[in-house]
Short mmCIF file of all heavy atoms in Angstrom, two decimals:
data_model
loop_
_atom_site.label_atom_id
_atom_site.label_comp_id
_atom_site.label_asym_id
_atom_site.label_seq_id
_atom_site.Cartn_x
_atom_site.Cartn_y
_atom_site.Cartn_z
N VAL A 328 176.79 -174.86 78.47
CA VAL A 328 176.35 -173.66 78.83
C VAL A 328 175.77 -172.62 77.70
O VAL A 328 174.91 -171.83 77.87
CB VAL A 328 177.31 -172.81 79.61
CG1 VAL A 328 178.51 -172.45 78.77
CG2 VAL A 328 176.85 -171.58 80.34
N TRP A 329 176.07 -173.13 76.45
CA TRP A 329 175.78 -172.44 75.31
C TRP A 329 174.47 -172.87 74.68
O TRP A 329 173.87 -172.22 73.90
CB TRP A 329 176.84 -172.47 74.19
CG TRP A 329 178.01 -171.88 74.51
CD1 TRP A 329 179.15 -172.45 74.97
CD2 TRP A 329 178.46 -170.44 74.62
NE1 TRP A 329 180.21 -171.74 75.37
CE2 TRP A 329 179.80 -170.43 75.06
CE3 TRP A 329 177.79 -169.33 74.22
CZ2 TRP A 329 180.52 -169.20 75.22
CZ3 TRP A 329 178.51 -168.02 74.49
CH2 TRP A 329 179.82 -168.05 74.95
N ASP A 330 173.94 -173.93 75.26
CA ASP A 330 172.86 -174.61 74.66
C ASP A 330 171.51 -174.14 75.43
O ASP A 330 170.96 -174.95 76.29
CB ASP A 330 172.92 -176.14 74.79
CG ASP A 330 171.74 -176.85 74.23
OD1 ASP A 330 171.07 -176.38 73.51
OD2 ASP A 330 171.57 -178.06 74.61
N ARG A 331 171.13 -172.88 75.25
CA ARG A 331 169.85 -172.44 75.98
C ARG A 331 169.08 -171.66 74.97
O ARG A 331 169.52 -171.01 74.03
CB ARG A 331 170.29 -171.54 77.04
CG ARG A 331 170.98 -172.21 78.26
CD ARG A 331 169.89 -173.01 79.10
NE ARG A 331 168.91 -172.26 79.72
CZ ARG A 331 168.98 -171.61 80.91
NH1 ARG A 331 170.02 -171.83 81.58
NH2 ARG A 331 167.89 -170.86 81.46
N VAL A 332 167.82 -171.55 75.20
CA VAL A 332 166.91 -170.75 74.42
C VAL A 332 167.09 -169.38 74.95
O VAL A 332 166.99 -169.05 76.00
CB VAL A 332 165.39 -171.25 74.50
CG1 VAL A 332 164.63 -170.32 73.70
CG2 VAL A 332 165.35 -172.65 74.14
N VAL A 333 167.37 -168.36 73.87
CA VAL A 333 167.56 -166.99 74.23
C VAL A 333 166.49 -166.21 73.45
O VAL A 333 166.32 -166.32 72.34
CB VAL A 333 169.03 -166.52 73.84
CG1 VAL A 333 169.23 -164.99 74.05
CG2 VAL A 333 170.03 -167.36 74.40
N VAL A 334 165.80 -165.36 74.29
CA VAL A 334 164.85 -164.48 73.68
C VAL A 334 165.26 -163.10 74.23
O VAL A 334 164.79 -162.73 75.40
CB VAL A 334 163.37 -164.77 73.95
CG1 VAL A 334 162.44 -163.78 73.38
CG2 VAL A 334 163.04 -166.17 73.45
N THR A 335 165.97 -162.36 73.47
CA THR A 335 166.55 -161.13 74.05
C THR A 335 165.55 -160.01 74.12
O THR A 335 164.92 -159.74 73.18
CB THR A 335 167.79 -160.67 73.29
OG1 THR A 335 168.72 -161.70 73.08
CG2 THR A 335 168.45 -159.41 73.79
N ASN A 336 165.40 -159.46 75.20
CA ASN A 336 164.61 -158.25 75.45
C ASN A 336 165.47 -157.05 75.48
O ASN A 336 166.12 -156.62 76.40
CB ASN A 336 164.00 -158.33 76.84
CG ASN A 336 162.91 -157.45 77.09
OD1 ASN A 336 162.89 -156.34 76.42
ND2 ASN A 336 162.00 -157.64 77.91
N TRP A 337 165.81 -156.52 74.16
CA TRP A 337 166.68 -155.53 73.97
C TRP A 337 166.64 -154.10 74.84
O TRP A 337 167.52 -153.51 75.31
CB TRP A 337 166.96 -155.14 72.57
CG TRP A 337 167.73 -156.26 71.86
CD1 TRP A 337 167.30 -157.08 70.86
CD2 TRP A 337 169.02 -156.64 72.03
NE1 TRP A 337 168.31 -158.00 70.55
CE2 TRP A 337 169.33 -157.68 71.19
CE3 TRP A 337 170.14 -156.12 72.88
CZ2 TRP A 337 170.60 -158.29 71.10
CZ3 TRP A 337 171.45 -156.78 72.79
CH2 TRP A 337 171.64 -157.83 71.92
N SER A 338 165.27 -153.84 75.12
CA SER A 338 165.02 -152.53 75.77
C SER A 338 165.51 -152.82 77.22
O SER A 338 166.23 -151.84 77.85
CB SER A 338 163.66 -152.12 75.72
OG SER A 338 162.82 -153.23 76.14
N VAL A 339 165.30 -153.96 77.76
CA VAL A 339 165.79 -154.19 79.21
C VAL A 339 167.24 -154.30 79.21
O VAL A 339 167.92 -153.67 80.09
CB VAL A 339 165.17 -155.47 79.81
CG1 VAL A 339 165.76 -155.82 81.09
CG2 VAL A 339 163.62 -155.26 79.89
N VAL A 340 167.84 -154.91 78.20
CA VAL A 340 169.36 -155.18 78.10
C VAL A 340 169.94 -153.67 78.10
O VAL A 340 170.93 -153.37 78.75
CB VAL A 340 169.81 -155.97 77.00
CG1 VAL A 340 171.28 -155.99 76.75
CG2 VAL A 340 169.30 -157.53 77.23
N GLY A 341 169.35 -152.90 77.15
CA GLY A 341 169.98 -151.57 77.00
C GLY A 341 169.91 -150.70 78.34
O GLY A 341 170.83 -150.07 78.72
N LEU A 342 168.75 -150.88 78.94
CA LEU A 342 168.47 -150.11 80.30
C LEU A 342 169.48 -150.68 81.27
O LEU A 342 170.22 -149.83 82.03
CB LEU A 342 167.05 -150.33 80.78
CG LEU A 342 166.72 -149.59 82.07
CD1 LEU A 342 166.82 -148.05 81.77
CD2 LEU A 342 165.37 -150.02 82.50
N PHE A 343 169.71 -151.98 81.25
CA PHE A 343 170.76 -152.61 82.21
C PHE A 343 172.08 -152.01 81.99
O PHE A 343 172.81 -151.62 82.95
CB PHE A 343 170.72 -154.10 82.09
CG PHE A 343 171.68 -154.77 82.84
CD1 PHE A 343 171.62 -154.88 84.13
CD2 PHE A 343 172.99 -155.11 82.22
CE1 PHE A 343 172.68 -155.59 84.97
CE2 PHE A 343 174.09 -155.71 82.84
CZ PHE A 343 173.92 -155.91 84.26
N LEU A 344 172.45 -152.04 80.69
CA LEU A 344 173.86 -151.49 80.33
C LEU A 344 174.00 -150.13 80.86
O LEU A 344 175.07 -149.76 81.29
CB LEU A 344 174.13 -151.73 78.87
CG LEU A 344 174.37 -153.21 78.40
CD1 LEU A 344 174.62 -153.29 77.02
CD2 LEU A 344 175.39 -154.03 79.29
N VAL A 345 173.05 -149.27 80.54
CA VAL A 345 173.12 -147.81 80.92
C VAL A 345 173.37 -147.76 82.45
O VAL A 345 174.31 -147.15 83.02
CB VAL A 345 171.95 -147.07 80.46
CG1 VAL A 345 171.89 -145.66 81.09
CG2 VAL A 345 171.80 -146.98 78.92
N LEU A 346 172.61 -148.51 83.20
CA LEU A 346 172.69 -148.45 84.60
C LEU A 346 173.91 -148.98 85.16
O LEU A 346 174.55 -148.54 86.07
CB LEU A 346 171.56 -149.18 85.23
CG LEU A 346 170.21 -148.50 85.11
CD1 LEU A 346 169.06 -149.45 85.63
CD2 LEU A 346 170.12 -147.19 85.82
N PHE A 347 174.44 -150.08 84.46
CA PHE A 347 175.67 -150.73 84.78
C PHE A 347 176.90 -149.79 84.62
O PHE A 347 177.60 -149.55 85.62
CB PHE A 347 175.89 -151.88 83.86
CG PHE A 347 177.15 -152.84 84.14
CD1 PHE A 347 177.35 -153.51 85.29
CD2 PHE A 347 178.23 -152.78 83.34
CE1 PHE A 347 178.32 -154.23 85.62
CE2 PHE A 347 179.34 -153.48 83.60
CZ PHE A 347 179.46 -154.21 84.72
N VAL A 348 176.90 -149.04 83.49
CA VAL A 348 178.01 -148.18 83.34
C VAL A 348 177.90 -146.89 84.35
O VAL A 348 178.82 -146.48 84.88
CB VAL A 348 177.94 -147.53 81.82
CG1 VAL A 348 178.95 -146.50 81.50
CG2 VAL A 348 178.36 -148.73 80.89
#
Side-chain angles (χ1 to χ4, degrees):
V328 68
W329 299 97
D330 181 23
R331 289 289 297 271
V332 179
V333 176
V334 179
T335 305
N336 189 338
W337 284 111
S338 53
V339 173
V340 171
L342 185 64
F343 170 81
L344 288 178
V345 169
L346 291 175
F347 182 69
V348 172

